[in-house]
Each structure stands twice: as C-alpha cells, then as structure tokens.
Amino acid sequence: MSMSESSSPMGRLGGALGLGGAGIYIHIPFCKQACHYCDFHFSTSLKKKDELIQCLAKEIELRKDELGGETVETIYFGGGTPSLLSNDELRFLIDTVYKNFEVSETPEITLEANPDDLSDEQINELTTTRINRLSIGVQSFFERDLKLMNRAHNAEEAKNCLSEAIKSFENISIDLIYGIPGLSNNEWISNIEKALSFKVPHISAYALTVEPKTALASFIKKGIVDNVDDDLAHEQYNILVDKLQAEGFINYELSNFGKPNYFSKNNSAYWLGNPYLGIGPSAHSFNGDQRSWNVSNNTKYIKAIQNGELPQEIETLSKRDRFNEYVMTGLRTICGVSLKKVEQDFGLDYKKYLLEQSEIYIDEHLLYIDGAKLLTTKKGKFLSDGIASHLFKIT
C-alpha cells in the first residue's frame, strides 16, 4: 500500500515549508581555535565582536524589504561558533529580526553550539531566549579524533553537555564526522550508539573532506596524517544509514537523519528552493532568481555596513544554473527530482536530456524512477553529488 503525499517522508519534507515562508541565516564569524579541517570564514580574535554584532543588526535592518513580505519560518545562527555569543547578544539579534520581518508564530530558531560552551548555566539561560533548537558539534566521542581535528572540546565535555541539554531542549541535533583517518568501523559504530543513547531526534553526519589550504591538507601532504580513505568513508556511511534507520530515523537528505517531525526546517528550505537571507561576513542569500554573498572579511564587512552599504556580490541564475541546482539538491533528498517539475519549469528538452543522461545510472542501479521522480538508490545515495554533476546541463 502506498503512503499518501502528506504522510510519506517526501510529503513531510516538502510540507515542512511547503506553504511558503523564508529563512534567515546569521553567520557568527568567530571561533576559539581553528579546526584542522575547516575552510569556513571565521576569526579567532574577538576584538571586533561588539562592532560586528551591531553591524549584523544593521544589515538585518538594511535588508528588511528583500523577502517581499514572506513570513520568516526559520532563524539559524551558524558559524564560526555562535555559542560564543552571550544570551543578551542572541536576544538582541533575534529581536532585531522580529522588529524588521513578519515571523511565524512557531518559528524554528537554531543555535549551532560547541560542547565546551554549553555549561549547565548556559543551557539554563538559553531556555529563557526564543531559541528552540540546538545543533551541537560533537563530531566524535573519541579523544584521538578530537585532537586530530583540533576541536576545542573533549569527549567528556560532549557527554556532559548532551546530558544537560536533553533536560531542557526537546529539539536537538548532534553533528558527527566519519571517514576520519584511523577511525575503525567498530569505533564508528560506538560513536553512533553513544549519540543514540542521548535519545536526540536528529543527527547530521558528514564525511571528512580535505579542503585545500587547511591544516589537515598540509598534514596529509607532509605525511603527518594518513589521507582520507573514500572506500572506508562509504562503508561507514552505509553503517550509519543501517543503524539510524533501525532506530526510526529517516535519511531525508544525504547527511541528515531525523525522526518524523524533526527534520531541520532551515536545511529543508535550502533544498526546496525557498528564499533566504544570509546575514554577516561570507553569508549567502537566495531569492529564487539570484544568489548573493557577502565579503569574507570582517573588517571590510564592518566598514561597508557602517557606511550603509551591502558588501555583496550578486549572480543572476540562468535557466541552466537553476536546473543544475535543482538536480543537485533533489538527488540529495528523499524528494528526488520531479520530472513533472523539470518539464514545467525548464521545458521538455531539459526533461529529455535528464532522462537520457540518467540511463547509465539507472542501468547501474544507482538511480531509479518512481512516481515520475528520479531518485537515488541506497547504493547511489552516497555518490549523489558525483552523479548529479554528470546530469548537469553544460550547454
């Protein structure tokens, strides 16, 4: 018996923001120390924190008309390390959003946090703010892994903060990383089981990637750290899927697993093509036709905002760009790529092209068509980004 659209996982993902609504992402570009694998924009100096927070609020005010009156469904503090902000600073920024935008009666307001910042006192104080979701960057419960990645917390802090957080917050997500050099499959299983022991409703798990110009890339080049093993990462992804699905989690996007009704609304908005504003240095925005991104430099950002200018670059997306983005995001999610939508939005030629390019992957059991949707098989999901790149329209 087939599930209805509203009761199916696809319906739940689409329905999370299917009635419209927008998101606001606020980038907090500060960290206590640099993780060896990270290539995001941040500074380990907090000297300009007060100035920058004022500029974040001013950018929110400057851009109050950009969402065209759409209701804000999600506010997301990302970084960097947003948990470095005080509760008063978080309240100030949230209040600024409420003063300048129409906000849903039940918005999802997420704070990315590191375990070392979440003391018992801090967790209790966070309950007095509008924040209702925590995304906690655990990454691993093994000291060896945390040291290799140069995380600011230790395994004991991770366990302690989760033990306290679950007493005060219902909606918690844990971040984990697999494919770490030296991490065995048994240790990976131990990490998953430890995360599950806290009964959180959402887990995000990412394969460790070696980004250029990071400390990790340098260590691997010098032979100090073993290179990432893609085959092992693939094995560990499959272990992850099997373990979490057995516990009732839905793998609704390549790296994201949620219990029913606990999918990330913020992330779902990106994948479904909803508009969002990115506030802060390096933050990206999308309005359906254009993408824009702020300068990745705190000093330049502050100077521009203080002068009433938006330090951003804008790119208008062509039909081909929008098609390629839809294929990329669609294949990563349980929504898949709707052949009907492709024909409606891009034309019959695009649909024919997509089907022709997909044939080889369907023959290899990496893709399949179900209900006029192009989807990845279990075997193909881990490879979805690579598959999507071969389905892109080039000319």
Side-chain angles (χ1 to χ4, degrees):
M1 186 174 78
S2 63
M3 293 184 286
S4 70
E5 175 68 10
S6 60
S7 66
S8 71
M10 285 184 286
R12 285 197 291 271
L13 178 58
L17 286 150
L19 297 177
I24 293 181
Y25 171 88
I26 302 175
H27 186 74
I28 308 301
F30 300 109
C31 289
K32 289 179 181 176
Q33 61 192 51
C35 296
H36 288 159
Y37 57 87
C38 182
D39 70 342
F40 290 165
H41 169 67
F42 66 91
S43 170
T44 54
S45 170
L46 301 181
K47 289 180 182 178
K48 297 184 178 180
K49 182 164 78 81
D50 292 345
E51 268 188 298
L52 193 130
I53 289 170
Q54 293 300 320
C55 286
L56 293 176
K58 187 168 182 179
E59 185 186 358
I60 291 169
E61 293 168 0
L62 289 171
R63 303 181 70 183
K64 64 182 179 181
D65 297 323
E66 284 192 31
L67 293 178
E70 287 217 48
T71 301
V72 171
E73 297 281 353
T74 67
I75 302 170
Y76 191 99
F77 288 92
T81 310
S83 51
L84 287 176
L85 269 58
S86 69
N87 288 325
D88 285 344
E89 290 166 338
L90 291 168
R91 281 194 197 93
F92 169 63
L93 292 172
I94 294 170
D95 288 346
T96 304
V97 172
Y98 271 77
K99 287 174 184 175
N100 289 277
F101 293 92
E102 183 69 31
V103 180
S104 163
E105 290 185 10
T106 56
E108 176 188 271
I109 305 181
T110 301
L111 177 74
E112 285 187 354
N114 282 350
D116 47 301
D117 294 325
L118 292 182
S119 64
D120 297 358
E121 181 182 3
Q122 174 70 350
I123 291 168
N124 288 332
E125 288 183 1
L126 281 172
T127 63
T128 67
T129 71
R130 286 187 167 109
I131 290 164
N132 52 31
R133 183 175 185 270
L134 297 179
S135 177
I136 302 176
V138 171
Q139 317 309 0
S140 177
F141 291 100
F142 289 100
E143 295 293 347
R144 178 199 65 223
D145 299 339
L146 297 174
K147 288 177 181 177
L148 184 150
M149 294 184 283
N150 200 38
R151 295 292 294 171
H153 70 276
N154 59 46
E156 201 59 33
E157 285 174 321
K159 296 170 191 173
N160 290 340
C161 99
L162 286 169
S163 296
E164 288 303 314
I166 59 176
K167 297 175 185 176
S168 302
F169 286 85
E170 178 186 353
N171 198 350
I172 294 176
S173 179
I174 293 177
D175 279 3
L176 296 176
I177 293 180
Y178 58 91
I180 301 169
L183 180 70
S184 69
N185 287 346
N186 284 337
E187 288 171 326
W188 176 232
I189 290 170
S190 175
N191 265 337
I192 298 168
E193 290 176 344
K194 177 57 69 175
L196 289 170
S197 73
F198 293 99
K199 306 296 182 184
V200 296
H202 192 280
I203 293 175
S204 296
Y206 306 93
L208 182 66
T209 55
V210 184
E211 302 292 349
K213 299 181 181 179
T214 59
L216 179 61
S218 175
F219 294 155
I220 290 173
K221 187 176 180 180
K222 293 175 181 177
I224 298 171
V225 175
D226 289 339
N227 203 350
V228 171
D229 183 334
D230 290 338
D231 290 336
L232 181 63
H234 196 168
E235 283 180 34
Q236 292 180 352
Y237 176 76
N238 289 334
I239 290 169
L240 175 74
V241 172
D242 290 342
K243 293 285 287 184
L244 293 189
Q245 286 184 342
E247 295 293 328
F249 285 80
I250 297 166
N251 185 196
Y252 67 101
E253 191 271 343
L254 176 64
S255 303
N256 287 272
F257 301 76
K259 290 289 184 73
N261 301 317
Y262 286 96
F263 297 174
S264 166
K265 290 183 180 181
N266 173 79
N267 293 347
S268 298
Y270 296 157
W271 304 319
L272 293 170
N274 287 42
Y276 56 88
L277 289 186
I279 304 295
S282 81
H284 285 234
S285 303
F286 175 66
N287 66 10
D289 297 310
Q290 294 178 321
R291 291 202 178 278
S292 62
W293 54 95
N294 288 342
V295 64
S296 297
N297 181 292
N298 291 358
T299 301
K300 291 180 180 179
Y301 171 81
I302 290 169
K303 183 178 180 181
I305 294 294
Q306 287 176 341
N307 290 331
E309 301 168 359
L310 294 176
Q312 61 182 207
E313 292 184 52
I314 299 174
E315 173 191 19
T316 299
L317 301 178
S318 65
K319 180 196 283 190
R320 186 177 66 206
D321 293 332
R322 289 186 287 109
F323 169 80
N324 291 345
E325 286 199 8
Y326 177 57
V327 170
M328 173 69 81
T329 55
L331 287 186
R332 287 181 65 98
T333 73
I334 54 175
C335 287
V337 177
S338 166
L339 299 177
K340 182 179 179 181
K341 178 178 172 63
V342 170
E343 184 173 348
Q344 287 178 341
D345 292 0
F346 307 106
L348 185 59
D349 288 348
Y350 274 79
K351 178 182 174 182
K352 288 180 178 178
Y353 174 83
L354 179 62
L355 289 172
E356 288 170 1
Q357 295 296 109
S358 299
E359 284 181 2
I360 185 172
Y361 298 106
I362 292 172
D363 291 343
E364 293 176 356
H365 305 290
L366 298 173
L367 296 176
Y368 69 103
I369 294 174
D370 180 39
K373 292 180 183 291
L374 184 67
L375 300 140
T376 55
T377 64
K378 180 180 178 182
K379 180 182 174 184
K381 180 162 280 189
F382 184 76
L383 307 172
S384 60
D385 285 351
I387 294 170
S389 68
H390 287 100
L391 304 182
F392 287 170
K393 198 89 162 61
I394 307 302
T395 57

